[in-house]
Amino acid sequence: MNIIQLIEKKGNNFSLTEEELKFLFQEYQEKRMSDYQMSSLLMAIKINGLNEEELFIYTKILLDSGKTITFNDLERRVDKHSTGGVGDKVSLLLAPILAANKINIGKLSGRGLGFTGGTIDKLESIPGFNVDLTLEEFVSNSQEHGISLIGATSEFAPLDKSIYALRDVTGTVGSLELIAASIMSKKLVTNSKYIFIDLKCGSAAFFKTKEEALKAAKLFKKIGLYFGRKIFVMISTMEQPLGNFIGNKLEVWETIDILRNETKNDAFLLTKEIASYIIAEINKVSFEEANMLVDKVIEDQSAFNKFIEWIKIQGGEIEVFLKQKRINTKYIYPIKTSSEGYVSFQEVDKLGYAVVDLGGGRKQLHDKINYNVGIQVLKKTNDYVKKFDEIMLVYSDKELSTKFLNHLKSLIKIEQNKVPFEMVIETIVW
Ligand code: URA
């Protein structure tokens, strides 16, 4: 087989066989195919797509490039992936709510990427929290305590890691097939029977429109079914930050408030809806009954206790965290409205980037994160505000310029009428 002829074949919109795909990716892994040749192939795939068979084969090639993890409690086990958002703390909330309902979760998670925060960075704001567990610890913690989380290292689907890095710099990230195969190859690393995909849609998401998100959801579902998994996809909005805080430590505090039954915001409502679909499916109960099971573990604190158990089992010094000051930055800047009306957010990704600018995320691989900084979101979409009401508070350890603060202000528009808005755009269950 000849690398150049196969690239040309895909470029001319012919499909590649299993043997040809395996050959190409093996040649790449073994460095007999160059980055520029692989980039050309990826562009051909981006332009011409992959048919179903090619999609499944490509996903399997990515998965087979690394280790897999075997759990033995599959009937009550779920895995989750979020396509990334601003203020997205669903993993932190969902895991203890499910574990308190005896549904286990063992998750490979990532760090912040671009404007999106990462679950691992949030958890590492708790002193001592350790994401470098051995695979044995990861499996046994999840099976015995209901929750375990480790970093998605290059042991798992390493080929996806190198191809993703290449896509990132060759304009080939935005292909639905490449995205779906990349994400699913990492979700198939564990043998979890149930997989939930939290698909964000909107200005601060990979998928900008409902149509794109639906197309992607169908691909996730097809891949999952092909590999014998049960898949549930929820498409939810990223036209406003989720919850009331953006920033690592601030989001852990928000999680604690919700789990202690002290806050019931949109982050809770979204998580409750997700958890209910999962519980309804696994417990074989109605959605309404599942709703009550979520409320129960919040009201009787068993979800909060699970959260504490999880943090401690991974070395987190939660007592130290709880004694620390919640707001611990040198400066607090209010962002106020200059007119009266209904709030709507513009380009929410820029709020995520602003938190990175404050030091709450990395601009370079080895940057150290300032866990304390972030933004508190006091008003949400379609809240009515008066002139000079505070909409956000910016927590910073450095003095901020008027230009920076005005930029933040420009991301909030005051409308004369409510804007069309739905938190959950589409739910594609099991
Ligand atoms: N996240 C991934 O892991 N892969 C993609 O291709 C896109 C987002």
Side-chain angles (χ1 to χ4, degrees):
M1 271 184 280
N2 178 300
I3 293 173
I4 302 164
Q5 282 171 352
L6 292 179
I7 298 171
E8 267 195 280
K9 185 176 174 188
K10 191 69 217 171
N12 292 333
N13 202 12
F14 291 102
S15 46
L16 296 174
T17 64
E18 176 168 7
E19 214 192 346
E20 288 167 340
L21 283 165
K22 279 188 174 159
F23 167 75
L24 285 169
F25 288 99
Q26 190 172 358
E27 291 297 278
Y28 181 64
Q29 262 189 305
E30 291 172 10
K31 308 220 179 307
R32 288 186 294 271
M33 178 176 179
S34 63
D35 279 349
Y36 53 78
Q37 288 174 317
M38 179 50 78
S39 307
S40 175
L41 177 68
L42 291 168
M43 185 54 87
I45 293 176
K46 184 183 168 192
I47 293 167
N48 293 323
L50 292 175
N51 67 28
E52 251 179 43
E53 207 190 333
E54 289 175 306
L55 179 69
F56 301 150
I57 295 164
Y58 174 56
T59 309
K60 180 131 177 40
I61 290 172
L62 296 180
L63 171 66
D64 288 347
S65 69
K67 284 188 184 167
T68 55
I69 298 172
T70 308
F71 289 107
N72 60 22
D73 51 1
L74 300 185
E75 292 310 313
R76 298 195 68 77
R77 166 161 303 281
V78 71
D79 197 357
K80 155 185 190 287
H81 177 83
S82 165
T83 56
V86 177
D88 179 6
K89 66 274 301 170
V90 171
S91 289
L92 298 181
L93 292 166
L94 185 66
I97 289 173
L98 292 179
N101 276 289
K102 304 209 167 0
I103 295 172
N104 298 340
I105 184 160
K107 195 172 148 27
L108 308 178
S109 271
R111 298 184 183 278
L113 192 66
F115 62 87
T116 66
T119 303
I120 287 196
D121 294 331
K122 293 172 202 192
L123 286 164
E124 283 183 345
S125 72
I126 303 169
F129 192 91
N130 174 23
V131 293
D132 295 322
L133 304 180
T134 64
L135 285 191
E136 291 70 30
E137 285 168 329
F138 173 65
V139 171
S140 65
N141 283 0
S142 177
Q143 291 182 170
E144 285 162 32
H145 299 275
I147 317 175
S148 194
L149 184 141
I150 52 173
T153 66
S154 46
E155 285 175 294
F156 311 108
L159 181 58
D160 175 66
K161 202 172 172 150
S162 37
I163 289 192
Y164 189 84
L166 202 56
R167 284 168 56 209
D168 206 18
V169 292
T170 55
T172 48
V173 169
S175 142
L176 291 187
E177 287 90 353
L178 292 177
I179 293 174
S182 161
I183 290 174
M184 285 305 290
S185 70
K186 287 169 285 191
K187 285 300 98 179
L188 295 166
V189 161
T190 78
N191 60 341
S192 298
K193 175 169 167 189
Y194 298 91
I195 299 175
F196 163 58
I197 306 288
D198 189 357
L199 211 157
K200 310 287 192 199
C201 174
S203 61
F206 250 114
F207 307 106
K208 306 286 178 213
T209 64
K210 181 175 172 176
E211 290 66 39
E212 260 190 340
L214 271 172
K215 271 195 206 157
K218 285 185 188 141
L219 291 184
F220 283 117
K221 198 130 187 151
K222 272 189 192 161
I223 298 174
L225 290 177
Y226 176 81
F227 286 91
R229 311 303 167 86
K230 296 202 92 178
I231 299 271
F232 155 40
V233 187
M234 185 182 279
I235 302 173
S236 60
T237 182
M238 252 303 136
E239 294 296 2
Q240 71 168 357
L242 187 62
N244 295 100
F245 291 91
I246 315 164
N248 298 295
K249 206 180 254 188
L250 296 170
E251 290 189 48
V252 174
W253 271 113
E254 185 178 11
T255 299
I256 290 171
D257 287 343
I258 293 172
L259 294 175
R260 276 175 174 164
N261 202 14
E262 288 164 8
T263 299
K264 289 227 185 297
N265 60 9
D266 58 326
F268 170 68
L269 294 177
L270 182 69
T271 310
K272 179 174 170 177
E273 189 147 343
I274 295 164
S276 298
Y277 279 112
I278 294 171
I279 294 170
E281 174 69 18
I282 295 182
N283 285 12
K284 307 282 172 252
V285 297
S286 69
F287 185 76
E288 291 66 34
E289 282 172 281
N291 249 266
M292 287 194 286
L293 291 171
V294 174
D295 285 336
K296 181 174 173 296
V297 297
I298 294 287
E299 279 155 23
D300 69 12
Q301 304 274 303
S302 52
F304 177 64
N305 292 337
K306 266 290 164 199
F307 179 78
I308 300 291
E309 183 183 336
W310 166 33
I311 301 303
K312 284 188 174 167
I313 210 84
Q314 291 202 222
E317 296 171 40
I318 192 68
E319 282 84 8
V320 175
F321 182 91
L322 292 171
K323 278 191 204 133
Q324 284 171 353
K325 269 167 62 181
R326 195 179 269 241
I327 305 299
N328 200 10
T329 54
K330 263 198 215 152
Y331 304 97
I332 303 177
Y333 295 93
I335 306 287
K336 296 184 182 178
T337 57
S338 39
S339 58
E340 183 167 342
Y342 296 96
V343 170
S344 94
F345 287 87
Q346 316 290 308
E347 303 176 283
V348 178
D349 51 336
K350 293 196 174 151
L351 286 177
Y353 283 123
V355 173
V356 174
D357 283 338
L358 295 172
R362 295 177 195 82
K363 288 187 178 166
Q364 303 285 337
L365 200 56
H366 299 294
D367 279 356
K368 221 170 144 353
I369 287 187
N370 179 337
Y371 292 113
N372 293 319
V373 299
I375 296 175
Q376 182 170 2
V377 183
L378 301 167
K379 303 287 179 193
K380 305 284 306 250
T381 302
N382 289 333
D383 280 352
Y384 194 77
V385 288
K386 298 221 177 72
K387 199 171 173 181
F388 303 133
D389 273 358
E390 289 181 353
I391 301 208
M392 299 193 290
L393 295 174
V394 184
Y395 300 112
S396 175
D397 272 329
K398 54 190 177 198
E399 224 171 311
L400 299 177
S401 66
T402 311
K403 189 172 166 214
F404 185 84
L405 296 170
N406 281 341
H407 163 67
L408 290 180
K409 190 170 167 174
S410 75
L411 303 177
I412 296 150
K413 211 165 152 197
I414 303 300
E415 312 269 3
Q416 285 325 296
N417 296 301
K418 286 191 177 183
V419 292
F421 180 83
E422 45 184 357
M423 184 171 73
V424 176
I425 296 168
E426 190 88 33
T427 308
I428 303 147
V429 282
W430 312 114

